[in-house]
Amino acid sequence: MNNSSIIFEDVIKHVKEDIQRNVDEKTRLSGKHFFKEPIKYYGTKTAIVRKIAKKYYKVLSGTPKATLFDLCTELWKSGYLEEAFVACEWSYSIRKKFQEEDFEVFQHWVESYVNNWASCDTLCNHTIGSFLEMYPQYLEELKVWAQSPNRWMRRAATVSLIVPARKGKFLEKILMLADILLMDTDDLVQKGYGWMLKVASKHHQDEVFDFVMKNKAEMPRTALRYAIEKMPKDKRAVAMKK
């Protein structure tokens, strides 16, 4: 394929065609087992979707960021999981060009289009996590997300800090968000903040353990188990003891 033969307006069409051309029946049939909520997906393997995303990102090389974000929005609008993954790959690929005003774009995607844990985590772990490392002043916005009636906004508040947490960053904000979401009744939000605490415990085991011990009477068991998963056996036993 000659890249110059594809005009930008046709990229979405080609992306969709490539995804549908690579549908795998086993992937399509098994996909529904990973989600409690109904989702739209073609059944194309994630590794192949990433290759498709990279292939067309090369076509888009040199495209203004605003145009690329518009294309991402079109992919998000479709509601298909694989197209959301392509949008996530593209937005993460230009992370070095992020500016403060891009936060509104990312927030709009979460608020308007994210409807399952996979697209939530893919967007937040990479694109939004990278943005927050560049512009930590926006960490305060996660407090607003954590109090949203939208379950995906609440999960996004926590999983956006997974990658920074792996580097030992933002402990204060992590504990603040866990405190806000402590008694959330949504299991996917519980798993989100429990995962965040688990990752933070790699660098801040004592602080996370203290948080768990202080709050374990109210903390849902789902979140608690996630939070202590990587801790030493003796600490896990103490934390689980009623």
Side-chain angles (χ1 to χ4, degrees):
M1 177 177 53
N2 184 348
N3 288 355
S4 63
S5 68
I6 301 177
I7 58 175
F8 293 154
E9 289 77 5
D10 290 335
V11 169
I12 300 296
K13 174 175 175 285
H14 286 285
V15 167
K16 292 174 182 283
E17 288 174 350
D18 272 18
I19 290 172
Q20 293 175 55
R21 195 178 296 121
N22 285 279
V23 168
D24 175 76
E25 187 63 13
K26 287 185 178 179
T27 302
R28 189 185 70 80
L29 292 173
S30 65
K32 61 184 178 182
H33 300 301
F34 295 102
F35 303 92
K36 292 182 179 180
E37 61 282 339
I39 67 161
K40 292 168 64 177
Y41 67 100
Y42 297 108
T44 304
K45 292 181 178 178
T46 302
I48 293 176
V49 174
R50 287 198 184 104
K51 288 181 180 178
I52 293 169
K54 289 176 181 176
K55 168 181 160 184
Y56 287 102
Y57 181 72
K58 291 180 181 178
V59 174
L60 295 167
S61 178
T63 304
K65 182 178 64 176
T67 301
L68 187 69
F69 280 173
D70 286 344
L71 292 171
C72 289
T73 300
E74 286 304 306
L75 290 168
W76 277 109
K77 283 180 180 178
S78 78
Y80 277 91
L81 183 64
E82 293 91 343
E83 293 180 33
F85 283 172
V86 173
C88 292
E89 286 282 336
W90 287 357
S91 60
Y92 180 63
S93 293
I94 59 167
R95 58 194 179 279
K96 293 182 180 178
K97 298 180 181 179
F98 287 168
Q99 296 173 295
E100 289 193 49
E101 59 265 28
D102 297 335
F103 185 81
E104 291 184 12
V105 176
F106 305 148
Q107 179 169 271
H108 174 66
W109 290 346
V110 177
E111 251 177 337
S112 303
Y113 306 121
V114 167
N115 58 13
N116 63 81
W117 64 263
S119 59
C120 182
D121 295 1
T122 304
L123 173 64
C124 295
N125 283 184
H126 305 292
T127 296
I128 299 179
S130 296
F131 175 89
L132 292 169
E133 288 191 74
M134 293 173 69
Y135 301 105
Q137 61 268 36
Y138 283 84
L139 287 165
E140 278 298 310
E141 296 295 326
L142 299 184
K143 184 177 179 180
V144 179
W145 291 15
Q147 298 173 82
S148 170
N150 182 333
R151 71 190 303 199
W152 304 117
M153 291 291 287
R154 301 200 307 278
R155 182 176 173 99
T158 63
V159 298
S160 292
L161 294 184
I162 295 297
V163 174
R166 286 179 184 149
K167 304 171 185 176
K169 294 183 175 181
F170 307 145
L171 177 66
E172 181 183 346
K173 298 300 182 184
I174 286 168
L175 296 178
M176 176 195 73
L177 291 170
D179 192 55
I180 292 171
L181 294 166
L182 184 68
M183 299 175 69
D184 199 291
T185 58
D186 191 307
D187 70 322
L188 286 172
V189 177
Q190 294 170 11
K191 290 174 181 177
Y193 89 75
W195 180 21
M196 175 183 68
L197 289 171
K198 174 174 68 176
V199 175
S201 73
K202 178 181 177 181
H203 292 279
H204 305 286
Q205 186 180 112
D206 290 342
E207 292 89 342
V208 173
F209 182 72
D210 288 346
F211 177 89
V212 170
M213 292 302 295
K214 176 184 175 183
N215 295 289
K216 72 173 190 172
E218 294 81 27
M219 196 173 186
R221 301 299 271 185
T222 297
L224 191 152
R225 288 191 185 97
Y226 267 73
I228 65 174
E229 186 179 336
K230 297 297 183 180
M231 290 188 184
K233 186 177 180 179
D234 59 333
K235 287 192 172 184
R236 294 201 309 271
V238 171
M240 290 296 293
K241 186 176 180 179
K242 292 184 179 180

